[in-house]
Amino acid sequence: MTTRPTLFLTVGLPGVGKTTAARQIEAAEDALRLTKDEWVKALYGLANPPSASDVIEGRLIEVGLRALELGINVVIDFGLWARDERSALRQAAMARGASVAMRYFELPVAEQRRRLDRRLAEAPHTTWHMTDDELAEWAAVISVPTPGELDGSEPIGDPPAGFASWDDWRWHRWPASVPDDAP
């Protein structure tokens, strides 16, 4: 008997435990783990260019969706702060016959700061410095998943206005290449 592959989505702000959980899921579920920060670090070192970040995410998503088609479990480890991002990935996984398991991580700000400082001190090659102002800005914009979104009982709904499908939105959100005017 064949089981459906699963797309695992880790959702949360920096330093809250997403990558640690993604590594655990990778081992426990024989999943392909796609952690954007590892790729950005490998390609750009100390730089973290926003234009490249979206392209790397898009490329990793396409690899992940292909893995699902091949019957391989996948862990997407990006943060996925926007509901539209999560909806597009849920739709894409389900269109490929996969199930979706979403995990949301949060911590008190002081613990998040402590973990980020420890990671920067112990493994600076894996991260970037993040200011308290950046953390506060990001906390203000994250769309926390609803209980129905987390357990999959809430319908995905229609894509945002101006997009015929979630696939169209996904290709717009995660472009296939870096724009010509990027540094």
Side-chain angles (χ1 to χ4, degrees):
M1 184 170 158
T2 308
T3 60
R4 291 173 46 186
T6 300
L7 175 64
F8 296 90
L9 303 176
T10 62
V11 180
L13 295 168
V16 297
K18 296 181 310 296
T19 300
T20 298
R23 287 184 180 122
Q24 292 167 346
I25 294 165
E26 173 186 34
E29 303 292 338
D30 293 324
L32 173 64
R33 179 176 54 87
L34 301 170
T35 299
K36 176 191 72 172
D37 288 352
E38 292 173 357
W39 285 84
V40 173
K41 275 295 192 181
L43 294 169
Y44 294 97
L46 296 176
N48 189 5
S51 61
S53 181
D54 291 346
V55 173
I56 290 169
E57 286 181 8
R59 293 294 181 165
L60 293 176
I61 287 166
E62 294 308 313
V63 167
L65 294 176
R66 178 65 181 131
L68 292 173
E69 291 170 352
L70 296 171
I72 300 166
N73 293 329
V74 175
V75 184
I76 299 286
D77 177 25
F78 301 167
L80 301 168
W81 298 350
R83 182 183 176 102
D84 285 347
E85 293 172 333
R86 299 186 302 265
S87 294
L89 293 176
R90 287 174 62 203
Q91 180 278 328
M94 290 188 283
R96 287 157 177 79
S99 60
V100 178
M102 189 181 309
R103 311 261 170 90
Y104 173 65
F105 302 88
E106 64 181 333
L107 288 173
V109 174
E111 177 62 14
Q112 179 190 20
R113 174 85 269 159
R114 187 188 70 72
R115 287 182 179 197
L116 290 169
D117 290 345
R118 185 181 71 211
R119 184 169 68 193
L120 189 61
E122 293 176 0
H125 62 285
T126 67
T127 191
W128 298 269
H129 174 71
M130 295 170 229
T131 68
D132 289 342
D133 287 344
E134 286 173 320
L135 295 178
E137 177 186 328
W138 299 332
V141 299
I142 189 171
S143 173
V144 174
T146 64
E149 190 181 5
L150 287 169
D151 70 16
S153 65
E154 196 170 300
I156 293 173
D158 293 331
F163 295 95
S165 69
W166 279 110
D167 285 339
D168 289 343
W169 185 91
R170 189 177 84 243
W171 296 321
H172 174 79
R173 166 63 183 89
W174 291 294
S177 62
V178 176
D180 289 335
D181 61 346

